[in-house]
Amino acid sequence: MARITTGTRQSPTGRARTRASAGAGLLLLGALLTGCGAEPGEIPLSEIRPETPTATPEPTAAATPGVVGAAVGAPAATAHNGLIVSRAYTDAARTSTAIVTLSPDGTGQHQVTQPPARALDDRPDWSPDGATIAFDRTDPQTGTARLWTVLTAGGPEHQVNQLCDSGTADCANEDERAPAFSPDGKQVAFSRSWGALDPSGSRQIQYSDLYLMTPEGTDVQRLTFLTNDKPYSGAVSNPSWSPDGKQLTFEYRTSATGQPANSRAIYVVSADGTGLRQLTPWELRAGDRADWSPDGTQILFTTYPAGPDNAPGGGIYTVHPDGSAVGALTPAPSDAFYGAAAYAPDGKSIVFAQAPAGAGADLYSMRPDGTGVARLTNSADKWLSRPAWGTAEAPAAPADQVQATSQPSDRPSDQASGPASGQTSSAPQAPQAPRPDAQQPAQAQGQAPTEKPQPESDSDSDE
């Protein structure tokens, strides 16, 4: 698997930059589902019209409920549960974050990246072979993010060249985040925001959509056009691939001028840009990176209540790929904050972030039905979050680069009871992390300590 490295890109006027390329982004109104609670009028027609003549779509989950390509429903191949990758604060003031790995039992925490002071490394994802980790790094001076990669064993980080190389309008405030490797390792999905800032002063960037490229950083294609005809309406982020590589989920977070305003939901789109549809209803406020079960039958996602960032009251849910059978895995209502969650490679466990209100987050695991909650880490001062579970083995590293976490102190019994997936009651109460003496600082909102613009979708309610 070739890692993403700095390379030559096409010019801003090329077909793969900021304008549609033929066949990439055919977003069909007829593929929108209403079964998840979305009404046909919720997504303006102007936001989903194709840039090129509409082609006849191939059958998708919308046409065949519960089916996502050939992989759905098939037994998952035996997979090794290797390292978990996460992001963590590196200083007591919580002004900088790095990418870290840890063993499935929470031990052996190892810092993989070495960010500059006040930079934020975030949203890590594994290459399929486990050799490389892709992530985004927010610059403390500009407040915008770029894509990077690093070997799992650590070492020099490699920046991917930004798509724009000039000062044109297409390049203003450009921001690239949330890289996600395709299952075959041949493509990387990522979110891109660009354009002028909203004149109203909201700091919303003009355009935001999903893109694809090769791991070498070439053949860049725009996949979605949600903000194409309605600038400042929202931000796209956090893509995730289906196991067969035929579809992606992503978060769409609306702005104050979006429809509806200041909300969020998970969407699904085919890898060729067709079949765009809303997966979760607006009232759930689903966000961050959703995750597909290894057999493709479930999609895992987290909800975030309206109000201050890191507010308690959300939860972790599953939904079928056709938008049916939404069920809670965590207690509802909850007095805890829940962050992004991810399946283990063998599909038998889930790792997720959790924190009491106002405190830092730790990582926990549970079974796919919400039972057997176990605490993995005890380092709330680092605010471990946005985990992804891979197959990589722990690399050999110098002793001075290994940071062992304290042993879990309150691991509950695996006999904890909870709901089966798809139910919404009697979910297990996950144990609470110790509350640190200090309240979570402003920097815990996932933004660089700067007044420079960032996409609105990346506040720490996306933890």
Side-chain angles (χ1 to χ4, degrees):
M1 172 67 192
R3 67 174 182 268
I4 305 173
T5 58
T6 300
T8 302
R9 295 291 182 87
Q10 302 176 23
S11 69
T13 58
R15 62 177 179 84
R17 280 301 179 98
T18 59
R19 297 174 177 84
S21 60
L26 301 177
L27 307 181
L28 306 179
L29 178 61
L32 289 171
L33 293 183
T34 58
C36 67
E39 295 298 330
E42 285 187 343
I43 306 173
L45 180 61
S46 62
E47 292 190 4
I48 61 172
R49 67 166 177 81
E51 291 289 306
T52 56
T54 301
T56 301
E58 296 189 6
T60 64
T64 309
V67 176
V68 184
V72 171
T78 301
H80 168 69
N81 292 343
L83 293 173
I84 296 169
V85 67
S86 177
R87 72 127 218 212
Y89 282 99
T90 60
D91 59 327
R94 298 184 184 176
T95 62
S96 184
T97 57
I99 304 303
V100 300
T101 59
L102 58 152
S103 298
D105 64 359
T107 61
Q109 191 176 138
H110 171 70
Q111 183 174 326
V112 179
T113 66
Q114 305 296 325
R118 304 178 73 83
L120 300 173
D121 291 354
D122 208 345
R123 300 170 191 83
D125 188 55
W126 293 101
S127 63
D129 62 5
T132 304
I133 299 169
F135 62 99
D136 60 54
R137 172 172 289 173
T138 301
D139 184 274
Q141 301 301 319
T142 65
T144 55
R146 296 287 179 260
L147 304 183
W148 292 68
T149 61
V150 65
L151 295 178
T152 302
E157 298 120 18
H158 299 272
Q159 183 182 358
V160 180
N161 282 349
Q162 63 194 69
L163 300 192
C164 290
D165 301 319
S166 66
T168 66
D170 283 346
C171 302
N173 299 311
E174 187 188 30
D175 187 281
E176 300 161 14
R177 295 177 187 258
F181 284 99
S182 63
D184 62 6
K186 295 181 180 180
Q187 289 183 297
V188 173
F190 63 101
S191 62
R192 177 175 182 252
S193 299
W194 73 98
L197 296 181
D198 190 342
S200 69
S202 68
R203 299 178 70 242
Q204 178 72 45
I205 296 179
Q206 194 170 11
Y207 302 109
S208 178
D209 272 296
L210 201 64
Y211 281 72
L212 298 178
M213 64 181 177
T214 67
E216 293 76 28
T218 61
D219 192 21
V220 181
Q221 302 176 24
R222 184 174 174 182
L223 190 64
T224 65
F225 295 83
L226 276 168
T227 63
N228 197 58
D229 294 337
K230 195 173 182 182
Y232 310 112
S233 60
V236 167
S237 191
N238 297 309
S240 178
W241 293 83
S242 63
D244 60 9
K246 295 182 178 180
Q247 297 185 88
L248 298 97
T249 54
F250 64 91
E251 175 190 13
Y252 181 47
R253 188 171 185 180
T254 59
S255 67
T257 60
Q259 298 179 8
N262 299 315
S263 193
R264 58 206 303 174
I266 301 298
Y267 278 63
V268 178
V269 66
S270 295
D272 63 359
T274 63
L276 176 72
R277 57 189 173 88
Q278 185 175 337
L279 182 67
T280 62
W282 294 113
E283 54 266 28
L284 266 181
R285 295 186 57 83
D288 215 303
R289 178 174 283 171
D291 193 45
W292 299 68
S293 62
D295 65 1
T297 61
Q298 298 282 350
I299 296 174
L300 186 69
F301 65 92
T302 306
T303 64
Y304 299 90
D309 291 340
N310 305 324
I316 298 172
Y317 291 73
T318 58
V319 62
H320 289 172
D322 65 355
S324 66
V326 176
L329 300 183
T330 56
S334 172
D335 59 358
F337 164 84
Y338 289 96
Y343 282 102
D346 67 2
K348 297 179 180 179
S349 299
I350 290 170
V351 62
F352 62 98
Q354 182 203 340
D362 270 297
L363 298 185
Y364 293 76
S365 68
M366 62 181 169
R367 299 190 187 103
D369 64 358
T371 63
V373 176
R375 185 173 183 172
L376 299 181
T377 64
N378 188 11
S379 52
D381 59 315
K382 294 184 177 181
W383 195 276
L384 290 163
S385 58
R386 292 199 174 101
W389 206 327
T391 59
E393 298 285 357
D400 60 356
Q401 293 183 10
V402 177
Q403 301 176 2
T405 61
S406 58
Q407 293 295 325
S409 60
D410 56 355
R411 188 184 302 273
S413 170
D414 283 347
Q415 301 302 315
S417 61
S421 178
Q423 295 181 341
T424 57
S425 62
S426 301
Q429 177 62 57
Q432 298 294 307
R435 183 184 300 272
D437 293 336
Q439 292 294 316
Q440 184 73 5
Q443 283 77 11
Q445 297 182 3
Q447 298 178 349
T450 174
E451 295 301 320
K452 299 295 182 180
Q454 294 189 57
E456 287 195 350
S457 66
D458 292 312
S459 68
D460 237 21
S461 59
D462 294 338
E463 291 289 353

